[in-house]
């Protein structure tokens, strides 16, 4: 039963000593073990370290110490470096990589007292929308195990959905927090670019990557984000601005909040059942006192093509370091240096990663750079300007997080373009660097639907506030798939 409680409630119960972290962590570890054959949400389970950390948390709590997350069970997406525990990034390339240091996010959550139960499955190098590109096998959606959980943070979303852990770290380059959160019926927030340190977060596309949270509720996400966010001198793009107390002020009324309904997000690609849920959610927000009006982002249709130039370009450069010498898998008995590079990379990377590296290398090459990369960067400016204009009129933007609910495993792997179109509503926020969330807002044929909220730079608090008020009125976020209840 304790697994059903929110992180906020667990943190309070642990502090009040109604519950011990060891007991809680044991329960969660049992649930993780039992779920692995069906869900495959974890790549590594760190039972021993978790029990040691739980004991330490219990001792600290007994003394009246311990951070705000003392004793709470969480997991890390397997691209956050963890000292002493392997970090695979969902790839064969890093199958045996053990980082000598902790990512800043890992360090901060540890300092806040959170207990890490393991490393979560993900698409290889965070490239994917279904968690099917993982070298460690796909993750299954807890609502229906024939369906994908979304990607690339599929393990994070599935594990929180099935309440194997209270919350998880995740990353979002083009939707990888919001899309799996939507498909699994959990709450995910991608903060403003620069809000959360990328130090120790394995890079995919550095100008788009941002770490964030997947949790059961907006309140839980606020609690996590408060500990994770903040300036880090080890990340040159980290922003030196104070971190507000995201938990404070969540209860304030929504009265007077100006919400823009994203016109272009209600296109012919949006499934009618999803649209029905989104429209109902909009009426709840209106009932809560928000003023709704339609807003247009005219250049939004260019976001997918622009992203699929910029992201592969940056990936081709970031992934050059995996050469079998400095980093990563090394092939058996290479003939010479050329052979070593070639075979190590051929064996270490999967098909989607190779496709991105090749696309990226192409768009950056002489003669094509101006036509593709530079053009995509210009389009990116147009999209950012669209958002800026919109936020001159409204406080928040809303729309669907994804065009459809979860789709069957295997149904889109052979068709990368169809797969890429899954990100049509999420990518623009990354291109503009603005914060965005997905919260559960209903079901389409038994599968969860996500409502997306997008805010201006550094308006995480506004997003969390609107989401929390919505969650006080609805119970979609409290639903758990029957077999994990
Ligand atoms: N699905 C997108 C991609 O494959 C986004 C991934 C992400 O946000 N990490 O690139």
């Amino acid at each position: 039963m304790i697994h059903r409680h929110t992180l906020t409630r667990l943190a309070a119960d642990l502090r009040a000593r109604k519950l011990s972290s060891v007991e809680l962590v044991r329960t969660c570890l049992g649930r993780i073990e039992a779920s692995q054959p069906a869900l495959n949400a974890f790549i590594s389970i760190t039972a021993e370290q978790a029990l040691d950390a739980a004991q330490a948390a219990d001792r600290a709590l007994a003394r009246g110490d311990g951070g705000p997350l003392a004793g709470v069970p969480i997991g890390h997406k397997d691209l956050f470096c963890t000292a002493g525990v392997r970090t695979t990034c969902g790839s064969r390339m890093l199958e045996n990589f053990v980082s000598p240091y902790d990512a800043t996010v890992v360090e901060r959550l540890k300092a806040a007292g959170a207990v890490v139960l393991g490393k979560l499955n993900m698409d290889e190098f965070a490239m994917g929308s279904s968690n099917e590109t993982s070298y460690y096998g796909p993750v299954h959606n807890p609502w229906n195990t024939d369906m994908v959980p979304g990607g690339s943070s599929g393990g994070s979303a599935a594990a929180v959905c099935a309440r194997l852990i209270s919350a998880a770290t995740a990353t979002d380059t083009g939707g990888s927090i919001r899309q799996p959160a939507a498909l699994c019926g959990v709450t995910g927030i991608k903060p403003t670019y620069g809000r959360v340190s990328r130090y120790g977060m394995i890079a995919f596309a550095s100008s788009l990557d941002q770490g964030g949270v997947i949790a059961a509720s907006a309140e839980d996400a606020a609690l996590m984000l408060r500990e994770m966010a903040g300036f880090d001198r080890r990340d040159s793009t980290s922003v030196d601005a104070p971190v507000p107390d995201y938990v404070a002020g969540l209860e304030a009324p929504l009265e007077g909040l100006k919400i823009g309904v994203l016109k272009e997000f209600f296109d012919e690609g949006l499934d009618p059942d999803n649209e029905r849920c989104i429209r109902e959610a909009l009426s709840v927000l209106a009932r809560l006192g928000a003023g709704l009006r339609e807003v247009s982002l005219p250049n939004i249709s260019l976001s997918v093509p622009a992203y699929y130039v910029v992201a592969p370009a940056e990936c081709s450069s970031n992934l050059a370091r995996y050469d079998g010498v400095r980093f990563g898998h090394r092939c058996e008995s290479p003939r010479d240096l050329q052979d070593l590079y070639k075979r190590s990379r051929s064996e270490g990377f999967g098909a989607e990663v190779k496709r991105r590296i090749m696309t990226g290398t192409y768009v950056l090459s002489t003669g094509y750079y101006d036509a593709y990369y530079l053009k995509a960067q210009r389009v990116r400016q147009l999209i950012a300007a669209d958002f800026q204009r919109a936020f001159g009129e409204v406080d928040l933007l809303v729309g669907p997080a994804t065009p459809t609910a979860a789709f069957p495993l295997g149904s889109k792997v052979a068709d990368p373009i169809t797969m890429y179109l899954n990100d049509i509503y999420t990518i623009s926020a990354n291109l503009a660097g603005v914060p965005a969330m997905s919260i559960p807002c209903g079901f389409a044929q038994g599968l969860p639907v996500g409502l997306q909220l997008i805010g201006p730079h550094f308006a995480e608090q506004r997003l969390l506030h609107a989401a929390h008020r919505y969650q006080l009125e609805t119970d979609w976020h409290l639903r758990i798939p029957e077999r994990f209840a």
Side-chain angles (χ1 to χ4, degrees), residues 126-129 152 172-176 204 307-308 356 423:
M127 298 171 200
S129 306
S152 65
D172 193 311
T173 304
S176 283
F204 160 13
Y307 173 87
Y308 278 100
R356 307 272 179 121
D423 307 323

Side-chain angles (χ1 to χ4, degrees), residues 303-429:
S303 59
V304 174
Y307 173 87
Y308 278 100
V309 171
V310 174
E314 293 184 14
C315 123
S316 73
S317 146
N318 272 326
L319 271 58
R321 74 191 70 172
Y322 305 105
D323 56 6
V325 179
R326 290 168 302 168
F327 285 103
H329 168 81
R330 180 178 298 179
C331 67
E332 289 289 338
S333 31
R335 277 192 317 278
D336 51 29
L337 189 63
Q338 205 62 25
D339 184 49
L340 168 83
Y341 287 154
K342 208 161 154 183
R343 277 201 292 128
S344 299
R345 285 170 70 82
S346 301
E347 293 166 8
F349 290 134
E352 184 58 29
V353 173
K354 286 177 186 159
R355 186 176 298 129
R356 307 272 179 121
I357 293 174
M358 286 192 287
T359 312
T361 308
Y362 178 78
V363 300
L364 289 177
S365 57
T366 323
Y368 297 104
Y369 181 91
D370 290 348
Y372 294 106
Y373 187 69
L374 207 61
K375 180 78 146 269
Q377 291 290 23
R378 292 206 173 114
V379 169
R380 192 172 176 180
Q381 290 309 314
L382 292 177
I383 291 167
D386 275 3
F387 275 108
Q388 206 167 4
R389 217 173 302 118
F391 289 126
E393 294 171 27
V394 294
D395 303 315
L396 286 183
L397 292 166
V398 296
T402 60
T404 65
F407 45 91
L409 280 152
S411 65
K412 297 187 183 181
V413 267
D415 183 359
I417 303 289
T418 313
M419 188 70 95
Y420 296 170
L421 284 173
N422 246 289
D423 307 323
I424 195 147
Y425 304 141
T426 48
I427 276 175
S428 51

Side-chain angles (χ1 to χ4, degrees), residues 77 79 122-130 133 151-153 171-180 190 204-205 208-210 307-308 311-312 352 356 419-420 422-423 426-427 430:
K77 183 174 181 177
L79 54 56
M122 56 179 282
D123 276 302
E124 186 176 11
F125 282 97
M127 298 171 200
S129 306
S130 65
T133 71
S152 65
S153 312
T171 60
D172 193 311
T173 304
S176 283
I177 290 179
R178 292 159 286 156
Q179 189 256 15
K190 175 202 99 71
F204 160 13
L208 300 160
D209 295 343
Q210 183 56 205
Y307 173 87
Y308 278 100
E352 184 58 29
R356 307 272 179 121
M419 188 70 95
Y420 296 170
N422 246 289
D423 307 323
T426 48
I427 276 175
N430 301 78

